[in-house]
Amino acid sequence: MVTNKQLADLIFPNVTETVADLEKRYPPRDLPSGAEVTRFAPSPTGFLHTGSLFTSMICRKVASQSKGVFYIRLEDTDTKREIAGSGEQLLKQLNIFDVNPDEGYLGNSEKGNYGPYVQSKRADIYCIVIKHLLEEGKAYPCFCTSEQLEELRAEQEKQKLNPGYYGEFAKCRNLTNEEKYEKIKNGEKFVIRFKSNGNHESKIKVTDLVRGEFEIAENDQDIVIYKSDGLPTYHFAHAVDDHFMRTTTVIRGEEWVASLPIHVELFAALGWKAPHYAHLPVIMKIDEETGNKRKLSKRKDQEAAVSYFIEDGYLPKSLIMYLMTIANSNFEEWILNNKFEGMEDFVFSFNKMNNEGALFDMGKLNFFARELLVKYNKEEITQLAESYAKEYNQKLYKTIQSNRAYFADIMNIDREKANPRKDYEKFGNVLDIIGFFYEEGYQKALQEPLPFNEKFAKEDLVEALTAIKEKLQVNQDEQIWFNDLKEIGASLGYAANNKEYKANPEAFKGNMGDLAEILRITLTGRKNAPNLCTVMYLLGLEETHRRIDAVISLLK
Ligand code: GLU
C-alpha cells in the first residue's frame, strides 16, 4: 500500500523542510499592539492602474497610522502574462506618488526578513506547504488533460451545472494512491489540486472591513494550487505568503470577494488564522457613449493609468488627495478645514468607505490640483514646471529655457498676494493658458477670428487702439494704469463711471470693461486672460505697440 507520505516523497523528493521550519524562519512580527501589516501585491503585467494606486495608497496609510509595516510583494507566477520591466516601473511610479514601502520588493533588490518578496523565488516555500497538504491527504495530483477538462466543461454546460472540478466531477480525487504513484512513475504530467470539503449549497459567514459581515456560498472547487510549471496559483500563494509574511490586513480590489470562500477554506485547512480582509470598491466613470456607469478601462480611458497624470503634469499629491476623497467620505471636509495641508494627520477608516463603485470625477481632481498649485511661490512654481517639462514636455521646456525669468514672471501673475488666482491645475496645459506671451502662441491666436464684441464697428476698434497706443504707458501700479486707461476712454466717449453707463447706455460708446476687453483681445487673442495691466507690463511697451499695429492692420 502507498501512503500519503510516500506519494508526497515521490512528488517532492528534495523537500526536507517542514511547515514548522517555516514558522520558525518567519516568526510573528514584533510590533506594537494594533499595528497593521499591509501589502500591495501587483502582478508585473503592465502599467500602474489608477485603481492600484488607490489600493496601495490605502495600504500605506493603514500601516503608517497604526505604526505597522507596508510591504510590496511581486506576484509573478503567471509567467505568460508578465511584461518585462513592469515591476520596476510600478515601483518608480509608486515612488512618484510618495507611496513607498517599508520592506519588500524594491526592483533589483529587496529589504526585510520575510522574503523573498517575489513569488517566483518562493517555489521552495510553496513546495514545503504543498508537500504537507499531500501528506495530510488535503491535496492530490490531478492528471486530467486540458482536453478532458474541456469535455467536462461542455458536459456541465449541457446539463446546466456549475462548471469546474468538484465533487463527483473531480475524477482524480478517487484514484487510489497506488494509481497516482504509478502514473507519476510513468511520467504522466500532473498538477496538484486542493481537496475541498465544501458544499456549494451551504453558506459561510465572512467579515470584510468595508462591507461588514455577509454570507457567501462555500467553496466546493478542487482548485489547482500547483501548476505543471512548478509554480503555485494566486489563491494558494496568497494564503502562504500572507501567512508567512505575517500580513494582518489584506487590502485588495473587490474582484477578489468572489474568491474569499476559497481563501477561507485554504487557511482553515492549513490551520492558520486568516488575515482581515478589506475589499475596495472599483473606480468607475460615466461612459461618454452610453451615459452609464462603468469601470475605468485600461483600453478606453487615459485616466485609468497613473502615467497619464504624471505625463500631463499633475502634482502627484493632487491625485493622492483626490483619491482620498473617494476612499473616505469625511476626508473632503477635513482637508478643506485644514487648508489642503497635513494630509498625513488624517485618520483613514474602513467604516467611512463607500462600498459602491466610486465615480472618478476629473472636475474635483482639478479643484484639488488648483488649490495645491496656488500654494507655491514664484520660484517654486517655476522650478516645478521646469522639472516636469524637462522630462515630459519638450515644448514647454524650450519655452522656459528661452527666458526663464520671463516665464517666472508670467507664472507669478497674481500669485504672491493675499488672494492668488487659481489658474493652473497641471503643467501639461500651461502653454494653452499663457502661450500668447510668446510669438508662436500669439501668432496662432491671430489665425482665429478675434472675439471682439459685435457692437463695435471696425472703426471704433481702430480708434480705441490708436488712442491707447498713443497715450497708454506700461505701469506696475494697476491703479495708475487703470486711471490712464479711464482718461483715454473718457476722451473717446467710454463711460468712466459704470453707474452712469447703466443709467444711460445710449449716451456712451461703451464702458471701461469694453475698452479693456478691446485691449485684452488685441494683446492676447482671447477674452479671458490674466491681469491685463501685468500682461502689458510683461510684454513691454514696444511689444504692446507691435501687437496693436498687427491687429489694426488685420482690421483694415
Ligand atoms: N496579484 C493580485 C492582483 O494583481 C493581487 C491581489 C491581492 O492583493 O491579493 O490582482
Side-chain angles (χ1 to χ4, degrees), residues 142-155:
C142 166
F143 305 90
C144 289
T145 60
S146 42
E147 292 77 36
Q148 285 172 311
L149 294 175
E150 195 42 54
E151 265 168 40
L152 172 63
R153 220 174 58 98
E155 184 57 30

PDB file of all heavy atoms in Angstrom, residues 142-155:
ATOM      1  N   CYS A 142      -3.486  15.692  -9.981  1.00  0.00           N
ATOM      2  CA  CYS A 142      -4.560  15.521 -10.960  1.00  0.00           C
ATOM      3  C   CYS A 142      -3.915  15.395 -12.333  1.00  0.00           C
ATOM      4  O   CYS A 142      -3.083  16.216 -12.712  1.00  0.00           O
ATOM      5  CB  CYS A 142      -5.499  16.719 -10.896  1.00  0.00           C
ATOM      6  SG  CYS A 142      -6.623  16.816 -12.305  1.00  0.00           S
ATOM      7  N   PHE A 143      -4.334  14.362 -13.052  1.00  0.00           N
ATOM      8  CA  PHE A 143      -3.687  14.034 -14.333  1.00  0.00           C
ATOM      9  C   PHE A 143      -4.565  14.400 -15.527  1.00  0.00           C
ATOM     10  O   PHE A 143      -4.231  14.069 -16.658  1.00  0.00           O
ATOM     11  CB  PHE A 143      -3.359  12.538 -14.368  1.00  0.00           C
ATOM     12  CG  PHE A 143      -2.515  12.112 -13.192  1.00  0.00           C
ATOM     13  CD1 PHE A 143      -3.094  11.682 -11.998  1.00  0.00           C
ATOM     14  CD2 PHE A 143      -1.118  12.179 -13.271  1.00  0.00           C
ATOM     15  CE1 PHE A 143      -2.311  11.318 -10.910  1.00  0.00           C
ATOM     16  CE2 PHE A 143      -0.333  11.810 -12.186  1.00  0.00           C
ATOM     17  CZ  PHE A 143      -0.932  11.377 -10.995  1.00  0.00           C
ATOM     18  N   CYS A 144      -5.681  15.060 -15.265  1.00  0.00           N
ATOM     19  CA  CYS A 144      -6.591  15.367 -16.370  1.00  0.00           C
ATOM     20  C   CYS A 144      -5.898  16.286 -17.382  1.00  0.00           C
ATOM     21  O   CYS A 144      -5.219  17.234 -17.010  1.00  0.00           O
ATOM     22  CB  CYS A 144      -7.849  16.059 -15.844  1.00  0.00           C
ATOM     23  SG  CYS A 144      -8.897  14.929 -14.934  1.00  0.00           S
ATOM     24  N   THR A 145      -6.116  15.970 -18.620  1.00  0.00           N
ATOM     25  CA  THR A 145      -5.524  16.810 -19.674  1.00  0.00           C
ATOM     26  C   THR A 145      -6.459  17.982 -19.960  1.00  0.00           C
ATOM     27  O   THR A 145      -7.628  17.959 -19.559  1.00  0.00           O
ATOM     28  CB  THR A 145      -5.362  16.003 -20.968  1.00  0.00           C
ATOM     29  OG1 THR A 145      -6.680  15.575 -21.359  1.00  0.00           O
ATOM     30  CG2 THR A 145      -4.468  14.808 -20.786  1.00  0.00           C
ATOM     31  N   SER A 146      -5.946  18.969 -20.669  1.00  0.00           N
ATOM     32  CA  SER A 146      -6.826  20.122 -20.949  1.00  0.00           C
ATOM     33  C   SER A 146      -8.017  19.693 -21.808  1.00  0.00           C
ATOM     34  O   SER A 146      -9.104  20.247 -21.680  1.00  0.00           O
ATOM     35  CB  SER A 146      -6.057  21.276 -21.586  1.00  0.00           C
ATOM     36  OG  SER A 146      -5.176  20.808 -22.544  1.00  0.00           O
ATOM     37  N   GLU A 147      -7.828  18.662 -22.668  1.00  0.00           N
ATOM     38  CA  GLU A 147      -8.963  18.174 -23.472  1.00  0.00           C
ATOM     39  C   GLU A 147     -10.026  17.577 -22.559  1.00  0.00           C
ATOM     40  O   GLU A 147     -11.226  17.838 -22.730  1.00  0.00           O
ATOM     41  CB  GLU A 147      -8.534  17.104 -24.484  1.00  0.00           C
ATOM     42  CG  GLU A 147      -7.641  17.595 -25.615  1.00  0.00           C
ATOM     43  CD  GLU A 147      -6.195  17.813 -25.181  1.00  0.00           C
ATOM     44  OE1 GLU A 147      -5.707  17.021 -24.343  1.00  0.00           O
ATOM     45  OE2 GLU A 147      -5.569  18.778 -25.651  1.00  0.00           O
ATOM     46  N   GLN A 148      -9.591  16.801 -21.583  1.00  0.00           N
ATOM     47  CA  GLN A 148     -10.567  16.192 -20.660  1.00  0.00           C
ATOM     48  C   GLN A 148     -11.325  17.271 -19.885  1.00  0.00           C
ATOM     49  O   GLN A 148     -12.530  17.169 -19.668  1.00  0.00           O
ATOM     50  CB  GLN A 148      -9.847  15.252 -19.682  1.00  0.00           C
ATOM     51  CG  GLN A 148      -9.417  13.942 -20.326  1.00  0.00           C
ATOM     52  CD  GLN A 148      -8.528  13.130 -19.377  1.00  0.00           C
ATOM     53  OE1 GLN A 148      -7.573  13.650 -18.797  1.00  0.00           O
ATOM     54  NE2 GLN A 148      -8.851  11.858 -19.231  1.00  0.00           N
ATOM     55  N   LEU A 149     -10.580  18.298 -19.479  1.00  0.00           N
ATOM     56  CA  LEU A 149     -11.233  19.370 -18.721  1.00  0.00           C
ATOM     57  C   LEU A 149     -12.224  20.130 -19.599  1.00  0.00           C
ATOM     58  O   LEU A 149     -13.292  20.549 -19.135  1.00  0.00           O
ATOM     59  CB  LEU A 149     -10.188  20.334 -18.145  1.00  0.00           C
ATOM     60  CG  LEU A 149      -9.262  19.724 -17.082  1.00  0.00           C
ATOM     61  CD1 LEU A 149      -8.194  20.727 -16.663  1.00  0.00           C
ATOM     62  CD2 LEU A 149     -10.050  19.266 -15.850  1.00  0.00           C
ATOM     63  N   GLU A 150     -11.861  20.294 -20.845  1.00  0.00           N
ATOM     64  CA  GLU A 150     -12.737  20.973 -21.801  1.00  0.00           C
ATOM     65  C   GLU A 150     -14.024  20.164 -21.990  1.00  0.00           C
ATOM     66  O   GLU A 150     -15.134  20.716 -21.951  1.00  0.00           O
ATOM     67  CB  GLU A 150     -11.972  21.118 -23.137  1.00  0.00           C
ATOM     68  CG  GLU A 150     -12.553  22.087 -24.125  1.00  0.00           C
ATOM     69  CD  GLU A 150     -13.036  23.385 -23.486  1.00  0.00           C
ATOM     70  OE1 GLU A 150     -12.251  24.054 -22.773  1.00  0.00           O
ATOM     71  OE2 GLU A 150     -14.222  23.683 -23.694  1.00  0.00           O
ATOM     72  N   GLU A 151     -13.871  18.849 -22.124  1.00  0.00           N
ATOM     73  CA  GLU A 151     -15.043  17.963 -22.260  1.00  0.00           C
ATOM     74  C   GLU A 151     -15.947  18.076 -21.041  1.00  0.00           C
ATOM     75  O   GLU A 151     -17.170  18.149 -21.151  1.00  0.00           O
ATOM     76  CB  GLU A 151     -14.581  16.500 -22.340  1.00  0.00           C
ATOM     77  CG  GLU A 151     -14.435  15.969 -23.750  1.00  0.00           C
ATOM     78  CD  GLU A 151     -13.706  14.619 -23.747  1.00  0.00           C
ATOM     79  OE1 GLU A 151     -13.972  13.783 -22.854  1.00  0.00           O
ATOM     80  OE2 GLU A 151     -12.836  14.436 -24.627  1.00  0.00           O
ATOM     81  N   LEU A 152     -15.311  18.098 -19.885  1.00  0.00           N
ATOM     82  CA  LEU A 152     -16.065  18.190 -18.630  1.00  0.00           C
ATOM     83  C   LEU A 152     -16.890  19.476 -18.612  1.00  0.00           C
ATOM     84  O   LEU A 152     -18.075  19.477 -18.274  1.00  0.00           O
ATOM     85  CB  LEU A 152     -15.085  18.159 -17.441  1.00  0.00           C
ATOM     86  CG  LEU A 152     -15.677  18.430 -16.070  1.00  0.00           C
ATOM     87  CD1 LEU A 152     -16.687  17.363 -15.688  1.00  0.00           C
ATOM     88  CD2 LEU A 152     -14.577  18.490 -14.993  1.00  0.00           C
ATOM     89  N   ARG A 153     -16.252  20.543 -19.033  1.00  0.00           N
ATOM     90  CA  ARG A 153     -16.927  21.834 -19.024  1.00  0.00           C
ATOM     91  C   ARG A 153     -18.135  21.821 -19.977  1.00  0.00           C
ATOM     92  O   ARG A 153     -19.223  22.290 -19.635  1.00  0.00           O
ATOM     93  CB  ARG A 153     -15.959  22.934 -19.458  1.00  0.00           C
ATOM     94  CG  ARG A 153     -16.105  24.222 -18.669  1.00  0.00           C
ATOM     95  CD  ARG A 153     -15.014  25.179 -19.074  1.00  0.00           C
ATOM     96  NE  ARG A 153     -15.088  25.428 -20.508  1.00  0.00           N
ATOM     97  CZ  ARG A 153     -15.676  26.482 -21.056  1.00  0.00           C
ATOM     98  NH1 ARG A 153     -16.221  27.384 -20.275  1.00  0.00           N
ATOM     99  NH2 ARG A 153     -15.710  26.646 -22.355  1.00  0.00           N
ATOM    100  N   ALA A 154     -17.916  21.246 -21.147  1.00  0.00           N
ATOM    101  CA  ALA A 154     -19.001  21.191 -22.129  1.00  0.00           C
ATOM    102  C   ALA A 154     -20.172  20.374 -21.572  1.00  0.00           C
ATOM    103  O   ALA A 154     -21.346  20.755 -21.711  1.00  0.00           O
ATOM    104  CB  ALA A 154     -18.478  20.584 -23.428  1.00  0.00           C
ATOM    105  N   GLU A 155     -19.853  19.278 -20.936  1.00  0.00           N
ATOM    106  CA  GLU A 155     -20.873  18.409 -20.359  1.00  0.00           C
ATOM    107  C   GLU A 155     -21.659  19.161 -19.266  1.00  0.00           C
ATOM    108  O   GLU A 155     -22.893  19.104 -19.208  1.00  0.00           O
ATOM    109  CB  GLU A 155     -20.188  17.152 -19.785  1.00  0.00           C
ATOM    110  CG  GLU A 155     -21.123  16.089 -19.226  1.00  0.00           C
ATOM    111  CD  GLU A 155     -22.170  15.594 -20.264  1.00  0.00           C
ATOM    112  OE1 GLU A 155     -21.826  15.611 -21.472  1.00  0.00           O
ATOM    113  OE2 GLU A 155     -23.297  15.238 -19.856  1.00  0.00           O
TER     114      GLU A 155
END
